[in-house]
């Protein structure tokens, strides 16, 4: 066990962020992730409605158990929707398809290849994010490897991508105390449970069901996060 992974066994105090002077960071923003399965024509209209509901910083296309051709067709249909709304268009898992699709970047899980290979393929101006679960060590590693953002989660129970990882909001305070690299909170986030994550320092909160399954439609789902995103940080 290396020193940095050994340190990870020491729990972070819940008031970690209040112990240090926090540098200025912009207000928390919304990062919308697609459901794992979509009907493309319908989803294009749903995406337009979502982006009409309020500010969205980024959209990640995350499709599972579909062919590469289907993913590229979805990119071709959805990238212009994102461009028109000034929303960054990211693809999940596949740097090669992100390159082919002309995406603004890629989100890589821990098993989705190296940061170096993705950077070499996509170039210096594309966004590369890295899943770090509940690991301070993985986040530090991603930062050293040139990640444009790190993502922690799942913070809450989720059916979209079930996960046994349950980081404390304190990990967000820890990260924003030591790094200027943006941090994304993900996993079961809704307007009624997002406040602790925003207060702890999340730069982005990634949401799925809270938008696409909202009873009044995806635009209302986006709009429902407006008040919590304006909350002050600790």
């Amino acid at each position: 066990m290396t020193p940095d992974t050994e340190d990870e066994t020491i729990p972070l105090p819940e008031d970690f962020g209040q112990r240090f002077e926090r540098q200025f960071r912009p207000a928390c923003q919304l990062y919308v992730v697609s459901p794992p399965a979509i009907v493309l024509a319908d989803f294009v209209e749903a995406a337009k409605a979502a982006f009409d509901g309020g500010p969205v910083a980024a959209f990640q296309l995350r499709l599972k158990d579909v062919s590469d051709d289907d993913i590229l067709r979805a990119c071709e249909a959805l990238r212009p929707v994102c461009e028109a709304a000034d929303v960054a268009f990211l693809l999940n898992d596949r740097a090669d398809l992100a390159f082919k699709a002309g995406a603004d970047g890629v989100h890589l899980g821990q098993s989705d290849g190296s940061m170096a290979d993705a950077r070499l393929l996509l170039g210096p101006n594309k966004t590369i994010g890295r899943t770090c679960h509940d690991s301070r060590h993985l986040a530090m590693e991603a930062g050293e490897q040139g990640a444009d953002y790190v993502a922690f989660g799942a913070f809450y129970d989720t059916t979209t991508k079930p996960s046994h990882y349950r980081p404390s909001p304190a990990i967000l305070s820890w990260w924003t105390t030591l790094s200027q690299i943006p941090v994304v909170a993900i996993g079961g986030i809704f307007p009624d449970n997002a406040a602790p994550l925003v207060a702890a320092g999340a730069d982005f909160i990634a949401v799925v069901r809270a938008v696409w399954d909202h009873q009044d439609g995806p635009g209302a789902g986006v709009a429902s996060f407006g008040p919590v995103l304006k909350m002050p940080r600790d």
Side-chain angles (χ1 to χ4, degrees), residues 191-222:
D192 62 357
N193 63 17
L197 308 178
V198 175
D203 295 299
F204 301 89
I205 49 174
V207 298
V208 185
R209 289 180 298 131
V211 168
W212 308 117
D213 294 350
H214 195 282
Q215 62 180 3
D216 296 322
V222 167

Side-chain angles (χ1 to χ4, degrees), residues 74-106:
C75 289
E76 184 178 15
L78 290 164
R79 187 164 60 86
V81 176
C82 289
E83 288 177 351
D86 196 25
V87 174
F89 177 75
L90 308 179
L91 187 62
N92 186 61
D93 291 351
R94 299 284 298 276
D96 57 336
L97 295 185
F99 175 75
K100 288 182 180 180
D104 294 309
V106 66

Side-chain angles (χ1 to χ4, degrees), residues 10-59:
I10 303 172
L12 287 169
E14 290 302 319
D15 64 347
F16 182 90
Q18 299 170 13
R19 300 184 179 190
F20 303 91
E21 182 177 351
R22 306 282 291 279
Q23 299 184 35
F24 170 80
R25 298 175 89 98
C28 186
Q29 300 180 77
L30 204 60
Y31 181 141
V32 176
V33 182
S34 77
I38 62 173
V39 176
L40 184 55
D42 294 341
F43 190 74
V44 166
E45 296 307 311
K48 291 177 181 177
F51 301 153
D52 284 343
V56 173
F59 167 79

